[in-house]
Amino acid sequence: MANTELDYDIDIELMKPKMYKVILHNDDYSTFDFVIDVLTTVFYKSKDEAVELTLKVDREGFAIVGIYPYDIAQTKVSMVKFMAKEAEFPLLATMEEE
């Protein structure tokens, strides 16, 4: 009986997905409490991390709040936009390739 098992030597190179930074931008209207709520709800930050990031946004004008693959980053930006619209705040989240 012939051996039907095929032996292939295949090199597969897996590429890591491009990652995207999600950035929150400062404005003069969104409250600290609202920004902290966004950071804990959308980005799953601890209360202490959320406070620290909110202060950074306030002091520096923006802060990187997470780094994700494209689809996740886009979803988080959309979630921030939705929450801001619902709360009638102009909070802006953007994303850019890392």
Side-chain angles (χ1 to χ4, degrees), residues 10-16:
I10 300 173
D11 287 332
I12 299 174
E13 183 178 334
L14 298 177
M15 295 176 55
K16 290 184 179 180

Side-chain angles (χ1 to χ4, degrees), residues 1 6 13 15 24 36 41 46 65 84 87 89:
M1 188 169 236
L6 300 176
E13 183 178 334
M15 295 176 55
L24 279 189
I36 289 168
T41 304
S46 69
V65 295
F89 286 121

Side-chain angles (χ1 to χ4, degrees), residues 48-63:
D48 289 341
E49 262 186 306
V51 168
E52 187 177 312
L53 285 167
T54 301
L55 290 171
K56 183 173 182 172
V57 170
D58 186 54
R59 282 192 311 265
E60 298 178 21
F62 69 94

Side-chain angles (χ1 to χ4, degrees), residues 27-47:
D27 63 70
D28 294 330
Y29 301 100
S30 299
T31 64
F32 270 50
D33 287 340
F34 176 71
V35 176
I36 289 168
D37 186 43
V38 166
L39 289 167
T40 57
T41 304
V42 176
F43 298 95
Y44 305 110
K45 302 296 183 185
S46 69
K47 178 81 171 184

Side-chain angles (χ1 to χ4, degrees), residues 39-98:
L39 289 167
T40 57
T41 304
V42 176
F43 298 95
Y44 305 110
K45 302 296 183 185
S46 69
K47 178 81 171 184
D48 289 341
E49 262 186 306
V51 168
E52 187 177 312
L53 285 167
T54 301
L55 290 171
K56 183 173 182 172
V57 170
D58 186 54
R59 282 192 311 265
E60 298 178 21
F62 69 94
I64 297 168
V65 295
I67 301 173
Y68 308 96
Y70 179 85
D71 290 341
I72 295 171
Q74 184 64 42
T75 298
K76 291 191 180 286
V77 167
S78 295
M79 291 172 72
V80 171
K81 184 177 181 178
F82 176 80
M83 286 181 72
K85 185 176 180 179
E86 288 291 306
E88 298 182 353
F89 286 121
L91 184 63
L92 175 64
T94 60
M95 59 186 265
E96 63 182 50
E97 191 173 332
E98 186 176 44

